[in-house]
Amino acid sequence: MTEAFIYDAVRTPRGKGKTDGALHEVPAVRLAASALTSLAARSRLDTGLVDDVVLGCVEPVGEQGADIGRSAVLEAGWAESVAGVQINRFCASGLEACNMAAAQVMSGQSQLTVGGGVESMSRVRMGSAGGAWMVDPELAFRTYFVPQGVSADLLATKYGISRDDVDAYAVESQRRAAAAWSEGRFERSVAPVKDQNGLTVCAKDEHLRPGTSMQSLAALTPSFAGIGEAIGFDAVIQQRYPEVERVNHVHTPGNSSGIVDGAAAVLIGNREIGSKLGLKPRARIRGFASIGTEPSIMLTGPSFSVEKALQRAGMGYGDVDLYEVNEAFAAVVLRFMQVSNVWFDKINVNGGAIALGHPLGATGAMLLGTVLDEMERRGLGTGCVTLCVGAGMGTATVIERV
């Protein structure tokens, strides 16, 4: 099998996913094109040599709809010969896009690809695309469908994770993210978004709240108690998990991922094309995996996908120097730590989506660049990125510095 190397990774800042966010006036296709343009400029890339651009997007409707991968290629002014495709594996879409782009290289069917993702959550609301699992009564009944926030609270309840636990985790995520920005750890990968006049629209992640404390988080009301208790989703999930006497609703806006806008792009190729272009590989992709899990609890996938990816790479948990575990909800990371026995000093060392935000289709690709930058900064050899996925899945990728 041909080896696939990461040659570069770039992302936009994450803008608040609201109408007053810095990126609200930037349509998704321009966000994605901004990442592609920055990637090409940094590598002085002849875009005509790129075989395909694979972009994750979780709500592919309206201005984000159809095939935003190809639209972004055209918007960025890349060579017309470059194909583009949009894929959706919910929150893991950006990482899955990188895995698919890498698979093209590994199979020998492409020499140079781009994986990445985009989501404009301020312009295209979460849930806009609908879907059978949510709206088909027969499927929803048979699989005990509940909204993801209720699943997160069930996860915390079932595995003994308290409100203090998730709040303490969120405080540390904010502290780490603030420290990473103040020390310039994101500077290598973050490319400012500019308007048509070349003026900077957004240069830094907007969602951070560095002053967050246990006291300020304690004042927040649980986000999913209403739909769980009043609408009845708690009763639904207790049919699937009757051992849970009562769902303890612990997640709030302060310990859950932030709604933001953003895009990312990762340049992946074989060794020969890198030599031809004079590019130095930064890492090789050792293995990746996506798995399915029980859909109503839905958020247990990270450990299972990591185990599968590590097995394919001939590795174990202890062989990985740094992990990025997407902070969809604080309980997701805390459960991963319980299962893996990986210490917190190796996980999300620069904060995560609680502090920085989670631009659904782009996050996985962003985390791939984040872990690679930090591996290089610390002189470490291996990294792993994983995300929980709606409807009960998980995706993971293992990389090794060259």
Side-chain angles (χ1 to χ4, degrees):
M1 189 188 312
T2 302
E3 288 187 311
F5 296 92
I6 296 174
Y7 285 101
D8 202 6
V10 64
R11 72 170 177 92
T12 69
R14 296 166 169 99
K16 287 190 300 182
K18 299 180 179 179
T19 55
D20 62 346
L23 296 177
H24 174 64
E25 298 300 323
V26 184
V29 69
R30 293 194 179 87
L31 269 184
S34 177
L36 293 180
T37 300
S38 296
L39 188 73
R42 286 157 54 113
S43 300
R44 299 178 181 176
L45 183 63
D46 176 359
T47 61
L49 296 175
V50 178
D51 294 296
D52 202 5
V53 171
V54 186
L55 288 186
C57 183
V58 176
E59 302 297 343
V61 296
E63 63 187 40
Q64 268 184 188
D67 181 356
I68 197 168
R70 175 61 174 169
S71 298
V73 165
L74 299 175
E75 177 68 22
W78 280 27
E80 290 182 355
S81 60
V82 182
V85 64
Q86 175 268 328
I87 67 103
N88 185 1
R89 200 185 289 278
F90 299 136
C91 293
S93 296
L95 188 61
E96 189 64 61
C98 293
N99 292 346
M100 289 183 174
Q104 292 187 33
V105 173
M106 295 165 116
S107 68
Q109 299 306 302
S110 294
Q111 62 175 353
L112 190 63
T113 58
V114 172
V118 63
E119 207 79 35
S120 178
M121 300 183 76
S122 70
R123 297 173 67 94
V124 182
R125 294 185 62 184
M126 187 162 49
S128 296
W133 192 43
M134 292 181 286
V135 302
D136 185 315
E138 182 178 347
L139 178 60
F141 178 80
R142 190 171 71 249
T143 55
Y144 302 95
F145 167 78
V146 296
Q148 196 172 80
V150 175
S151 296
D153 288 338
L154 169 69
L155 184 74
T157 304
K158 183 173 172 61
Y159 295 108
I161 299 169
S162 69
R163 172 68 183 267
D164 281 349
D165 292 334
V166 292
D167 281 353
Y169 181 89
V171 170
E172 180 62 9
S173 179
Q174 293 282 358
R175 188 197 68 78
R176 291 182 176 191
W181 265 109
S182 67
E183 295 173 12
R185 299 184 197 174
F186 296 135
E187 288 180 358
R188 177 167 186 175
S189 290
V190 175
V193 176
K194 299 183 178 182
D195 63 17
Q196 59 268 38
N197 297 315
L199 301 176
T200 297
V201 174
C202 185
K204 183 178 178 180
D205 296 323
E206 283 192 303
H207 187 264
L208 285 86
R209 298 181 178 89
T212 299
S213 65
M214 291 293 287
Q215 291 73 25
S216 64
L217 291 182
L220 299 176
T221 302
S223 299
F224 309 106
I227 59 174
E229 297 166 2
I231 297 180
F233 283 114
D234 283 1
V236 173
I237 204 72
Q238 286 174 282
Q239 292 179 58
R240 178 62 182 83
Y241 292 91
E243 68 272 21
V244 175
E245 182 177 347
R246 178 180 178 274
V247 177
N248 183 22
H249 291 284
V250 300
H251 287 97
T252 69
N255 55 42
S256 307
S257 56
I259 294 173
V260 294
D261 305 331
V266 180
L267 185 63
I268 301 168
N270 59 28
R271 188 180 295 276
E272 290 71 25
I273 191 65
S275 297
K276 179 178 178 179
L277 295 173
L279 299 175
K280 181 180 178 181
R282 297 175 62 189
R284 70 167 54 86
I285 295 176
R286 286 286 303 271
F288 48 80
S290 288
I291 54 89
T293 62
E294 198 282 303
S296 61
I297 200 168
M298 154 177 5
L299 302 172
T300 58
S303 62
F304 297 111
S305 59
V306 167
E307 288 167 8
K308 189 172 183 178
L310 289 173
Q311 183 181 33
R312 287 178 172 173
M315 301 167 64
Y317 279 115
D319 297 319
V320 176
D321 296 316
L322 287 177
Y323 287 87
E324 286 289 331
V325 182
N326 187 41
E327 296 174 355
F329 302 92
V332 173
V333 186
L334 293 172
R335 177 56 185 161
F336 177 82
M337 292 166 62
Q338 288 178 345
V339 174
S340 66
N341 290 318
V342 175
W343 291 101
F344 192 27
D345 61 355
K346 296 174 68 172
I347 299 175
N348 301 349
V349 296
N350 290 322
I354 290 172
L356 300 167
H358 176 22
L360 304 176
T363 304
M366 288 184 170
L367 296 183
L368 200 57
T370 296
V371 77
L372 178 53
D373 284 348
E374 191 63 18
M375 287 161 59
E376 291 173 339
R377 192 181 76 86
R378 296 186 179 208
L380 300 176
T382 54
C384 180
V385 175
T386 184
L387 301 93
C388 59
V389 184
M393 292 183 283
T395 297
T397 304
V398 180
I399 64 173
E400 178 184 53
R401 282 183 62 207
V402 177

